[in-house]
Amino acid sequence: MELRIRSIDFTESGREIVREREVGTDAITIGRASENTIHLPDLAIEQTHIVVTQNASGMLEAKAAGTLGFTHDGVHTEAASLDPAKGGELGLGSYLLAFGQGDDGKLTITQRKAAKDDGEAKDRLAGFGLSGALPGKRPMAWAALVAILVVFLAIPIVSHLSRDRVAEPSVEDEGSVMMDASWSTGSLSSVHHGLEDNCEACHTTPFVAVRDESCLTCHEGLGDHAELDRLRTGMPEFTGGEAFLWSVAEAFNKPGPGACTDCHTEHEGAGQMEPTSERFCADCHETMDVRLTDTSLGNAHDFGTGHPQFQALITPARGEEERRTELSADGAHFNGLKFPHDEHLSTTNGVARMAGRLRKWEMTDDGALACSACHTPTADGVRFMPVDMEQSCESCHSLVYDQVGSTFRSLSHGDLDQVRADLLAADRAPRRPVQTGRRRPGQYAEGGIYFGNFSRVIVPTLGNALSDDGVCGECHYRDTSASGALAVHPVVQQTRFFQNGWFDHDAHTQETCVSCHAADTSGDAADLLLPDLESCRDCHLGETALEADVPSSCAMCHSYHPRDSTGAAAPPRIARRER
């Protein structure tokens, strides 16, 4: 059918706008969807609300396509017949559609919105409004501006300048500066919550940014990351927009680069202060060797993609000086001991069988001695206590050298003078191993490691004690630089290999020891059983690495402020447990 659609709209002033278009279609669809023949943008109307068709007699059949129905000449219905010659009106939502025939005989549909309150009704309602009683918009805007300046600027300034000064403001002084809450940009962090009502503790001078001196009033003893001149030399030069922003900041009394507030931002809301982002460190350390040509630090900007290999504080070999060295597959650390980890972690040898019989230590599921038998974590869980011979070793490596009745006499471990005196004072050397109610692994025949060692000790020179099969030489090296036959090379149990970074064992309890330290394959105490950079990257990548098991920023292992000359301070999460 051919039809003419006339759309009638009205402007705010009541002027009528009429638009016409002609359409040829078999069925007229009416609804909210734009593809309908007649598109009515009203949420009260379904996507396709009405379908109108023409039968053989020329009558129009209108049917509801959905469930909402429509009105036909004011009567609600879901289907209706219209005679184009007589006309009819359909209502749906806020629209009315008048059907009829034009002068040229073509079907015409006039679309318009239902009438709202006319002008007379609006005039009746105007008497209930405030527009007639209030001043104009411009005077009201100026009045509001003046009120804001008085309440939020003038009153705080006047009350601040006129209030009584107190040496140490307290909670009782709250409100002495009136209407100043609107000046705060947010709550203080949890570590500074006690200063909520003492703005002057940090903001010592009005309209001047917080200075480092204010921070150091409480935070005493913090070491500098570097000397200020060197720190600023190591910083990249500001260019472009960044240089402009810094010039504006300095014009408004903001301290220059390197200030406390560059890292530690406050008024960010209650809770813990957020750690410094990785980008802050990378600004300087990514290309540090370009500006500080004498630095020994490698460039770093992201743990996953740009970080130097770890450097450990070790003694590479006997007689050499202790130094920091990059980790490598053949790295060694001489600690003064002879100790094969693989023997003590075996599941089948004599060590495993003895540990199983004694039932003194924790064992692994496959029957090996657990690492915790010798290595005890510190109270904070970060590191490990030094291994103690009497607690961890003597149950198997007995120092009993004589028996008097039911009493066993033991050598004093670590006191070499006392050892020599005890053995020389003994009235006899044992002709057979001392039986203590348990059997140790090894040979008991004459010449065996356990039978002959004590008798060799009491030779006047005492030199045999430090032979490879002697009671001391089984675990210790002779100190050739010391006078005396019985001189043992000092044993050094390194408490901290990484001087410029921190590792928290307590945070890695889900891992087994051998997953990072390959102790079960080590036959020499000098093997450096430390995980390298690539091992850590199995789980840890940079701060923004979405694919990482543990996205890791610089602040996870490093701290900005050194405690003393021995190295960097622990990151806050570790330092809190150490206190």
Side-chain angles (χ1 to χ4, degrees), residues 389-409:
M389 194 274 178
E390 286 82 355
Q391 295 295 324
S392 302
C393 310
E394 196 172 1
S395 295
C396 295
H397 300 274
S398 175
L399 294 182
V400 172
Y401 70 95
D402 197 6
Q403 180 178 2
V404 178
S406 61
T407 302
F408 296 96
R409 301 174 67 185

Side-chain angles (χ1 to χ4, degrees), residues 4-5 20 24 34 61 82 85 94 202 248 299 303 351 375 380 425 452 460 514 556 567 571:
R4 180 184 298 111
I5 300 174
E20 287 188 356
S34 59
E61 302 292 339
L82 295 89
S94 60
C202 302
V248 172
N299 290 340
F303 187 76
V351 175
H375 299 284
D380 56 21
V514 295
M556 181 171 283

Side-chain angles (χ1 to χ4, degrees), residues 130-144:
L130 295 176
S131 57
L134 292 176
K137 293 181 180 179
R138 189 177 299 277
M140 291 180 63
W142 280 107

Side-chain angles (χ1 to χ4, degrees), residues 111-376:
Q111 165 194 332
R112 62 184 177 84
K113 278 199 169 186
K116 296 183 180 179
D117 293 336
D118 55 19
E120 183 179 349
K122 291 182 180 179
D123 291 339
R124 288 198 305 269
L125 293 175
F128 295 95
L130 295 176
S131 57
L134 292 176
K137 293 181 180 179
R138 189 177 299 277
M140 291 180 63
W142 280 107
L145 175 61
V146 172
I148 290 172
L149 293 176
V150 169
V151 173
F152 299 112
L153 182 62
I155 292 178
I157 291 177
V158 171
S159 63
H160 170 75
L161 296 176
S162 60
R163 69 191 176 97
D164 295 333
R165 302 294 175 178
V166 291
E168 295 183 2
S170 62
V171 176
E172 287 73 16
D173 300 311
E174 183 179 1
S176 57
V177 176
M178 300 174 60
M179 309 296 293
D180 65 339
S182 59
W183 289 21
S184 174
T185 57
S187 300
L188 293 176
S189 61
S190 56
V191 293
H192 289 148
H193 72 279
L195 302 176
E196 287 281 2
D197 302 314
N198 187 4
C199 302
E200 288 177 320
C202 302
H203 301 278
T204 56
T205 305
F207 304 105
V208 174
V210 175
R211 292 295 192 260
D212 290 355
E213 293 77 9
S214 300
C215 303
L216 295 175
T217 301
C218 298
H219 298 278
E220 298 176 341
L222 285 179
D224 291 329
H225 190 64
E227 293 181 359
L228 187 57
D229 290 342
R230 185 171 178 83
L231 187 67
R232 289 182 173 173
T233 302
M235 291 180 177
E237 184 178 354
F238 298 122
T239 59
E242 196 170 20
F244 172 74
L245 291 176
W246 268 110
S247 65
V248 172
E250 290 173 350
F252 284 91
N253 294 312
K254 180 177 174 62
C260 300
T261 52
D262 283 355
C263 297
H264 306 289
T265 55
E266 259 299 354
H267 295 286
E268 299 287 343
Q272 292 188 359
M273 188 177 291
E274 289 295 320
T276 305
S277 69
E278 180 181 273
R279 187 66 254 169
F280 176 84
C281 304
D283 284 345
C284 296
H285 285 269
E286 186 171 11
T287 56
M288 178 173 287
D289 59 346
V290 175
R291 297 175 298 280
L292 295 178
T293 56
D294 60 339
T295 183
S296 60
L297 298 176
N299 290 340
H301 66 273
D302 182 278
F303 187 76
T305 59
H307 193 285
Q309 181 59 267
F310 301 147
Q311 292 188 353
L313 184 64
I314 62 173
T315 302
R318 186 176 181 180
E320 292 191 21
E321 293 293 327
E322 188 178 58
R323 64 175 181 267
R324 289 180 65 227
T325 306
E326 280 194 1
L327 297 183
S328 61
D330 57 350
H333 170 60
F334 179 77
N335 55 23
L337 276 178
K338 303 173 185 176
F339 183 83
H341 274 91
D342 54 355
E343 277 191 28
H344 291 77
L345 295 177
S346 171
T347 60
T348 57
N349 67 1
V351 175
R353 291 196 297 272
M354 171 170 276
R357 286 197 299 270
L358 293 179
R359 299 183 182 278
K360 181 179 179 180
W361 305 284
E362 182 183 352
M363 306 288 288
T364 63
D365 293 338
D366 54 359
L369 192 64
C371 300
S372 58
C374 301
H375 299 284
T376 304

Side-chain angles (χ1 to χ4, degrees), residues 2 87 96 248 265 308 311 369 374 386 455 457 460 471 531 564:
E2 298 293 330
L96 294 176
V248 172
T265 55
Q311 292 188 353
L369 192 64
C374 301
S455 60
V457 170
V471 63
D564 49 44

